[in-house]
Structure formats: C-alpha cells, structure tokens
Amino acid sequence: MRLFLMRTSASTLLTGALLLAAPAAAQTNPPAGGEVTVLEKFIITESAAYRAGEVLPTSRPVDSVFGPGLSVLDLPRSVTVLTPELMRRFDLQGLGDLGRIGAGTQTANYFGIAGTPYLRGVKASVFFNGMARAYQRNEMPVSFGSLEALDLVKGPAPSHLGPVPEGGYANFIPKTPYFDRARGTLALTLGSHAHRRAQLDYGSPVLLGTRPAAYRVSLTAQDSGSYWRNVGNDYVSAYGALKVQLTPHLRLFTGAEYYDFHSNENPGWNRVTQDLIDRGEYLIGEPQNIVSSAWGGLADQSLITFPGAFTGQPANFRALILPAATAEARIAPGLLALMEDRRGQDGGYRYTSAYFAAGGEALTESIDGATVLADPDDYADARDFLWFLDLVSTASADRTVTWKSLVEKIATDKHSSYGYAVATEQLVIENKLLVEQREVQPADTTLTYGASVRYSYGRTLQDFAAEPFNRRDITRPVISANSQVPAGTDLDPNGRNLWSTSIGGSTESDLWQGALFGLARTKWTEQFDSILSVRAESVNYRADLPKAVGRATLAQRLAAEREGEKHHGSGSLSMLWRVRSDSSLYATYQRGTALQPGQGGTVNSRSNFASAELKELGAKFARPNGRLFAGLAAYEWENARFNDRENRAERLRGRGVEFELTWAPTDRLNVIASAGSQRVFRLDPLGFRARYATAERIALESGSFDAGVTPTPARNPSLVYPGTPETQAKLDVAWQVAPAWGLSVGAVWSHAFYHNFERTLVLPASVVWRGSVHWAHGPLALRLGVENLFGEDYFIGADPNFSHNNLVTKAPSTEGKLTATWSF
C-alpha cells in the first residue's frame, strides 16, 4: 500500500477512507483516472486528532481522569481543560503560569522555581501521558517543551491512578506526530528583561518498511533574565516522538525529552514587615563582621548556627549595624548615644535594646520589587530525562490492552550564598498494564483493570542548618562576604562538607510500589452513570543517610537507617445524573492514601503515606450547539503534607467552591471566566519555623536565623493556611476583529490574603490585567502579549511551611513578549 501523505488533499483523504470498506483485492486496483492514496482508519483518526481542542472544554475528549473518550461534561470531577489554543492565548510556558486561567489554580512561589503546581491552595502532582512523574518540589521548573495540552484535575487523583499529593494533578498531553502531511513551525520570541526564546517543531509521516508511522521533534532554547535582578531562566529542551501502526491491531507511541535548566533561586525580599509590603520600606544595615579565613573568607558558620550565635556572645551580637554616615545624618544625637559605637570595628553604629526602649526606630530605605535576596554567583541547575511508551492492542473488538512505561531521571545542584544548598538525584521507573473491556453485562459497563509496578530512587543532600535570611542587606550595591554563609559542598575548617546529618534533611531511599487496580464505568440508564475506582497497593521502602554526608558519625548513620512496608487500599465512587442531554449533576466520594515524598522524592517512613479523603458535588452545563460550557463544584478534602525539617506529616483540610464558564456567542468572540473561594486548615499544631518579627526584632536578631515554635498563634486559632488568595475571579475576552488579526484582554482579581500563620502580614488585593494582539497572513503569525498591563503592585503568595515570616516576593511589573511564528 502506497502512502502519499505529504500533500494529501481533502478529497483524496475522503476517497481513501471510503475504500476502507472495500475488500482487500479491490484496494489493490485503483480506479481509472489516477492514483488514489489508501489510508487505514488508524491514519485518518490520528490525522484528525492532532488539531483536537479549540476554546471550549468540550472541543476534545478528556482521557486524564476515568479513561479515554469522555467529554468533560460526563466527568464527575472538576477539571480545567487547556487546549493548544488556550496554551497559546494565555502564554502558558510553565507551572507558574497556570494561575492565569481556571478556578482553584494559583501561582505560588517556592524560592522562585515552580516545580509543582498549586491547586486548591496546596501542592499537586504532575502526570505525563497518564503516568505520574517524579515528584520534585522546586528542583526545576517542569519543561513545557514536550506537551501539546494540559488537563488540570483538582482534588486527590482517582484511586486507580495511585497516591499523589493533595491538590490534584496536571496531566501533560505530549506532542503527537502528524499522519496527514509534513508540517512544522519556527517560533522566535523577544521580550522584557533580555528574554529570548526559539522553538523549532517539525513532524512528518513516514513508512517503516510497510508500516505507516509518523514522527515529531521539538527543540526549544531559552536565554533569559527576569524582572528580579540576578535571577535568570535559561534552558534547552529536546523532544522527539514516534507513532507506528505495527500491525492492523497493534500500535506504538513512544517519545523522550531531555531538559537542561540553568538559573538560580529567587527567595524574594527578606526582612519582611507590613511597611515593606505596603510601601517598600526596607530595613537597612548588616550585623557584625564575622568573616573567617578558616571558613574560606566567608562568614564563620559556627557563629551563626546554634549554639554559636546564642551562647557566650555579647548582648547585641546579632543586631544590625548602620553605616556611620547614615546613622549620624538620620538619628538624633541623644538616641545615637544609646547605640553601640562600632565605627572602629565595623564602620558604624549597632542597634541596642536601650535605643528602641527610648523610642528609636529602625531605619529604612525605599526598595523596588526587582531587588531580591539573590547572588549572581548562585546557581540552581537541573537535568531531566523523560521517556514514555504506549503499546496498544485492539485485537478484540470489545477489548483494548495497553502497556504503559515511564522512565524519568532528574539531577539537580543548587547553591545560594545566603546559606542554603541542595543536591538531588531521582530515578523513577514504572510499568503499567491496562485492560479495557467494553460492553460488560448485565449493565452497559466499561471495565478497566490492571496492575502496575513502580520503583523510585531518591537521594537528597541538603544543608539548611543556618539560612540566616535577614543577615544580608539587599539594598547594598555589593554583596558582602559577611553575608555569605558556607553551605553544602563548602568545607568547614576540618575539611568536611556541610550536608545535614539528619534523616529528612539528607536522605537516600528506595521505594517499591506494586498495585492492582480497577475502574468500572457503568451506564445504568440514559440518565444515570456510576464510576467505581479501586486500588490495592503494597509498598516497601528503605532509607539511610547518603554516603556523601561528610560530618555524619557512625551513630548518626545507624540511627538514620529505616526500612518498612505498608499495605493500603483506596476507593472512590462517583454518580452522574444527566438532567438533560446538555446538563449533568454529580457526586464523588473518595478515601485512600496519598504519597507525600520529601525533597528530591525521598521516602523514609510511614509518615510519607497519608490518609486522603475527598467529597465533591458539582453541576455542568453545555449548550447543544457547542457555544457554552459552565461548571460548578463544591468540595471538601482532607490530606497531609510531609515536612522535611521535622521529618513528619502534617494533616490538612480544605474546602471551597469553584465556577468556570466558557462562552462563544459567535465564531469571532469568546469569553472565559472563573471564580473560586477556598480555605485550607492545618489540623496539627505548628512546629519549628521562621519566627514572625517586628522591625525592632529584625534589627536586633538578623545576624542568625531566628526560629522557634508557636503551636497555635493567638490570631489564628483555627490555623487557617496562608500563602495563596482564598478568593479569586478571572476573566478573559477574545475577539477576532478581522480574518487577519484579533485581540484578547483579561484580568485576575485576587482578594487580600494573609502571608503568615500569625496573621500579622497581609498581602493586598489586586487586579492584574493582561492583553495580547495577534496578526496572521499566510505562513507568518505575530503575537504581542503584555502581562500586568497597568503595573499593579501585587505579590506572589508563598508556601508558608517554613520561611514565610522571613521572605516575600513582589510580582513583576509590566512585561511584554513579541512572538513571530513561521509555519511550513
């Protein structure tokens, strides 16, 4: 059978499709008048599929939740469907961008690197082609170079998919080869802050012997600064995929991506006060000089960590010192006399308790959001290799058998001179067998069952012994050696590295997961469906301190050795009632286990496996003409997250309401809107973390990390979780003004929210506008996009688990990007 797929006309495709019904002998004799391309059903299906998905969520099936072929209208879960068109429109280039669209989606800052999505106020997982990827908190920003589209599934993953973090998951839909003809694009982007990005994407059908096949490659390179000084975002992504019809009933889809990322962390502003948030008033000064040649010409770490900074030192040893000229010009002589004169040793005057008791104030200078706690010599580098495979057999008309494989290997290396370092390695290998049996009786049931085996290796070397965030004055033009603290691979005076000697801080682990699972979708009547999902899993883990921990004693290594096993089950039941052909109501209940890895995907105790529960009620509506979709969901969940510093799980509960709407009244105009209100509660008392500090306390205690334990803050006895907006509304309107050009404009409104558990720091309400204009003529398309059109002052919420009282991140001001795309 000959295939001419490079320039196949629509009429030829149709003729080929009709010939499929003819006997094989007839297909070998083309009709008079010319040669006819004969295409298998597989090829026609694949050719139509690559464009699937426009603006409406109903424009493509959602395979990420309860199996293939389901419309979002028939899913008894809250899902935000992101099609290729929406990916372009909202310029979604990373997990940090997901907060621009959908209810229950947030942008959260964890030291500037979005390694995990945030859904419903908490961490979520990342899947690729239906398989869970390696967990990584902020080792790297997950590459978007290999994906075509996204499904954001909110709430714990359905039981058959396995245990994942509490917020839900983002399923990456990989770029798929083209079977109808060769095509490609070259996209070049220039933007604010020396942003440069190029992507070449190309695919074509081929013949592998006599077997129809297609391939696709996508190469992406970015060289970019950022709004924040000394913070970059450079990477290279290389992706390739292949699809082959091996036999009439056996097809293969496989692909791989290599991703190489280079940047550094962005902790944001330190020395956080409400005046800093409201008016940019930053507390200036640095503590006593403790630079030591024995510590490589940097600060003496032994005088920063416990007990060195707290015992045997002068009363004001940790207090900030103001430059002499600044103090003498701005402080009255009477108050200046109450400060400690250290002009001879440190060139200035040191704050004292007596100064503040007499009415003295901590001096500030104005600062912009771009000046952050980042050193140009810092680095956060990562390399990721991902490979996936689907082997699908359709030998039986009512049964599909699928073998799925995923391998991912991640290596990261970070060092920040304020006093933090981490190095991780991960390897994940999973194989899964699924059997989908259709038309099972007595009712109309589609039964999917199977087994999976997953192995996860994780190694984390981490040093968070010091982390004196407030030590450095970030307004100074030069980073002082006195504010650079040895960490990680740096050596102490005895020549030993500084990796943490406690399990949880530094961990090496092996985890095996074996599971049996089943999913039954039953259509009891035309109006009523049920979906039952179950999973039985057995896990085995082993953990100890990595050999590279230089200061660990034999006793510490023996105490850190862990091994154990756990046998658990999960189940969920969903009911869906079609009130009419265009509307449905649903209810879901799920109970089971969630996996909560530590940094670098490590597991060292039963605390990494938490009990998880979800209750969700919802309604969905879609107009028959496809012009409107709306969804409403109310939910409550209970889960836990793992605390690396305390090496234990911490229970959480969340509840909220979400609404999403997509309306396309004409082919040229559409509206996307959403609104959500959520609240997350911590069910266990607070543990060790950065302490809230007033301006006076920061001035007196900045020389070392100021931490402690306040189990239940007086202003927040219910331990309502801070860090992300509890209430948001989003709107985006797109108008195709003329065939050649169009525009879109949108806004995200966020209610004011608390930054810390103590409720002493409030981040302001904001309305952040964005807009874009696009033009296309022939093969050339141009798109100009602008974020934060009116320069709104707003903040990116942060995970409040540890450092929220010390750090806050102001979001970028107005930024623009111009992208030129050439299609060929």
Side-chain angles (χ1 to χ4, degrees):
M1 180 179 66
R2 301 183 63 187
L3 296 176
F4 290 87
L5 299 176
M6 301 295 289
R7 297 183 179 275
T8 305
S9 67
S11 60
T12 305
L13 283 171
L14 179 59
T15 305
L18 292 175
L19 285 174
L20 292 174
Q27 295 187 34
T28 61
N29 299 309
E35 188 175 60
V36 174
T37 301
V38 181
L39 300 177
E40 296 184 5
K41 181 179 180 181
F42 167 74
I43 299 173
I44 295 177
T45 301
E46 293 293 335
S47 299
Y50 89 94
R51 291 187 182 276
E54 298 302 331
V55 172
L56 283 144
T58 50
S59 62
R60 69 163 170 84
V62 178
D63 304 339
S64 306
V65 190
F66 295 116
L70 293 180
S71 166
V72 68
L73 184 65
D74 296 324
L75 288 176
R77 290 291 297 269
S78 177
V79 181
T80 297
V81 178
L82 299 177
T83 65
E85 171 62 27
L86 295 179
M87 299 285 290
R88 287 188 292 270
R89 174 165 156 184
F90 287 88
D91 191 27
L92 304 180
Q93 301 292 339
L95 295 176
D97 299 331
L98 297 183
R100 297 172 185 170
I101 180 173
T105 60
Q106 289 91 31
T107 298
N109 179 46
Y110 203 97
F111 295 87
I113 298 177
T116 187
Y118 274 72
L119 301 175
R120 293 180 171 175
V122 287
K123 292 183 299 182
S125 184
V126 177
F127 279 54
F128 191 94
N129 194 38
M131 301 277 276
R133 296 186 65 163
Y135 169 78
Q136 52 102 6
R137 187 178 64 188
N138 69 326
E139 280 82 320
M140 64 176 187
V142 182
S143 170
F144 274 32
S146 57
L147 67 93
E148 193 98 78
L150 269 170
D151 291 330
L152 303 179
V153 184
K154 285 158 276 187
S159 300
H160 64 283
L161 291 176
V164 296
E166 63 274 16
Y169 61 99
N171 185 50
F172 284 29
I173 300 170
K175 290 181 176 177
T176 304
Y178 309 124
F179 275 85
D180 59 338
R181 64 179 178 86
R183 56 164 55 78
T185 58
L186 174 63
L188 302 175
T189 301
L190 298 176
S192 305
H193 316 299
H195 177 85
R196 297 181 293 271
R197 180 175 177 269
Q199 183 175 79
L200 174 65
D201 192 303
Y202 182 79
S204 174
V206 294
L207 277 177
L208 295 181
T210 60
R211 296 174 177 85
Y215 70 90
R216 186 169 177 184
V217 294
S218 185
L219 305 175
T220 311
Q222 179 170 293
D223 179 22
S224 179
S226 74
Y227 164 75
W228 301 285
R229 295 188 185 95
N230 301 328
V231 177
N233 184 8
D234 305 336
Y235 67 84
V236 174
S237 165
Y239 169 78
L242 175 71
K243 271 194 175 183
V244 187
Q245 183 79 359
L246 297 173
T247 73
H249 302 292
L250 185 65
R251 63 181 184 267
L252 171 72
F253 179 29
T254 186
E257 181 186 22
Y258 175 74
Y259 179 65
D260 191 7
F261 169 73
H262 296 273
S263 182
N264 54 339
E265 289 194 338
N266 172 23
W269 281 340
N270 58 351
R271 305 183 182 180
V272 185
T273 65
Q274 194 63 47
D275 287 341
L276 177 65
I277 293 170
D278 293 342
R279 295 182 292 278
E281 296 179 4
Y282 181 85
L283 295 165
I284 60 172
E286 285 196 355
Q288 176 179 332
N289 187 359
I290 56 170
V291 169
S292 168
S293 60
W295 287 88
L298 306 179
D300 184 337
Q301 197 203 60
S302 67
L303 298 178
I304 294 172
T305 56
F306 183 84
F310 300 88
T311 59
Q313 301 297 344
N316 300 311
F317 175 68
R318 292 177 285 164
L320 297 178
I321 299 170
L322 296 175
T326 301
E328 291 166 355
R330 297 177 58 182
I331 298 175
L335 287 173
L336 188 62
L338 297 176
M339 300 183 75
E340 182 181 347
D341 186 347
R342 293 190 62 86
R343 285 176 292 176
Q345 305 96 320
D346 294 292
Y349 296 86
R350 180 154 64 185
Y351 287 116
T352 65
S353 297
Y355 168 82
F356 288 107
E361 296 182 351
L363 299 192
T364 64
E365 290 182 4
S366 295
I367 192 173
D368 61 18
T371 303
V372 295
L373 184 64
D375 185 333
D377 293 328
D378 291 347
Y379 54 87
D381 299 337
R383 294 160 303 284
D384 180 34
F385 173 77
L386 174 74
W387 172 79
F388 69 95
L389 176 143
D390 281 6
L391 190 62
V392 182
S393 172
T394 55
S396 173
D398 57 2
R399 182 187 299 116
T400 300
V401 180
T402 303
W403 179 271
K404 297 177 74 71
S405 295
L406 180 137
V407 175
E408 185 168 21
K409 183 173 176 58
I410 299 175
T412 66
D413 190 15
K414 292 185 184 182
H415 189 282
S416 294
S417 67
Y418 68 80
Y420 176 73
V422 64
T424 71
E425 289 185 16
Q426 277 196 79
L427 172 65
V428 169
I429 303 172
E430 182 173 9
N431 289 290
K432 183 184 295 186
L433 177 67
L434 302 99
V435 180
E436 183 185 271
Q437 185 75 44
R438 294 173 289 278
E439 299 181 2
V440 177
Q441 297 302 318
D444 182 3
T445 298
T446 297
L447 180 64
T448 302
Y449 57 91
S452 69
V453 177
R454 184 179 177 95
Y455 169 72
S456 303
Y457 167 79
R459 188 185 79 153
T460 295
L461 294 163
Q462 192 166 198
D463 176 20
F464 45 45
E467 285 195 273
F469 297 108
N470 288 334
R471 188 173 183 84
R472 179 177 298 166
D473 182 345
I474 63 176
T475 66
R476 294 192 175 189
V478 177
I479 295 175
S480 68
N482 188 40
S483 70
Q484 298 181 50
V485 180
T489 55
D490 296 331
L491 302 180
D492 68 10
N494 296 314
R496 300 171 302 182
N497 63 48
L498 302 173
W499 297 123
S500 172
T501 58
S502 62
I503 192 80
S506 295
T507 308
E508 185 171 26
S509 69
D510 297 280
L511 171 67
W512 286 93
Q513 297 169 262
L516 299 174
F517 55 86
L519 171 68
R521 303 197 312 263
T522 303
K523 189 177 184 66
W524 299 98
T525 69
E526 288 298 320
Q527 287 75 39
F528 185 68
D529 292 0
S530 69
I531 300 180
L532 176 65
S533 172
V534 295
R535 183 183 183 93
E537 183 169 282
S538 179
V539 303
N540 185 281
Y541 61 86
R542 177 211 60 83
D544 54 21
L545 284 178
K547 293 180 181 179
V549 177
R551 295 187 295 172
T553 65
L554 178 60
Q556 288 172 320
R557 292 190 179 279
L558 292 174
E561 291 181 354
R562 311 287 175 85
E563 61 179 332
E565 58 184 29
K566 181 178 175 61
H567 310 285
H568 58 90
S570 299
S572 63
L573 178 62
S574 301
M575 303 291 186
L576 185 133
W577 176 39
R578 294 181 184 81
V579 182
R580 302 188 321 180
S581 61
D582 59 3
S583 55
S584 61
L585 303 174
Y586 70 87
T588 289
Y589 177 76
Q590 179 170 322
R591 188 172 182 85
T593 301
L595 174 60
Q596 299 286 336
Q599 176 87 333
T602 55
V603 168
N604 66 69
S605 73
R606 294 173 67 92
S607 291
N608 292 109
F609 298 88
S611 175
E613 184 179 38
L614 171 69
K615 304 170 187 173
E616 184 170 311
L617 299 173
K620 297 182 180 183
F621 174 76
R623 290 290 298 272
N625 61 7
R627 297 288 187 185
L628 175 69
F629 174 83
L632 176 68
Y635 64 86
E636 181 176 87
W637 57 264
E638 186 169 324
N639 209 310
R641 65 171 45 183
F642 190 76
N643 185 329
D644 290 333
R645 284 184 170 266
E646 299 195 8
N647 197 36
R648 65 183 178 93
E650 300 164 339
R651 295 177 301 147
L652 305 176
R653 177 183 294 138
R655 60 171 180 255
V657 179
E658 300 166 348
F659 173 73
E660 293 190 355
L661 170 73
T662 302
W663 180 41
T666 72
D667 291 336
R668 297 171 58 184
L669 177 68
N670 60 77
V671 178
I672 299 174
S674 65
S677 179
Q678 66 189 27
R679 178 162 284 191
V680 178
F681 301 85
R682 179 173 166 138
L683 303 182
D684 295 320
L686 298 175
F688 178 86
R689 70 199 196 286
R691 189 178 312 198
Y692 166 70
T694 62
E696 176 182 334
R697 187 181 183 109
I698 292 172
L700 293 173
E701 306 290 344
S702 288
S704 63
F705 182 62
D706 188 20
V709 177
T710 307
T712 307
R715 294 187 181 185
N716 188 13
S718 298
L719 295 180
V720 178
Y721 229 77
T724 54
E726 293 185 4
T727 306
Q728 284 189 311
K730 305 170 187 179
L731 177 68
D732 194 88
V733 180
W735 180 28
Q736 190 68 31
V737 180
W741 70 279
L743 57 87
S744 69
V745 62
V748 176
W749 170 81
S750 301
H751 193 274
F753 59 103
Y754 292 105
H755 183 61
N756 58 352
F757 273 106
E758 290 82 0
R759 295 195 167 188
T760 52
L761 298 171
V762 180
L763 301 183
S766 62
V767 180
V768 182
W769 290 86
R770 61 185 308 274
S772 67
V773 177
H774 60 269
W775 172 88
H777 180 72
L780 179 64
L782 300 176
R783 178 180 292 269
L784 173 65
V786 181
E787 299 293 332
N788 198 1
L789 271 166
F790 304 111
E792 177 84 340
D793 285 336
Y794 74 108
F795 291 82
I796 303 174
D799 189 309
N801 192 43
F802 164 63
S803 60
H804 56 291
N805 279 318
N806 286 161
L807 301 171
V808 66
T809 304
K810 192 169 186 180
S813 188
T814 306
E815 296 182 311
K817 287 182 185 178
L818 176 63
T819 299
T821 303
W822 183 269
S823 299
F824 55 91

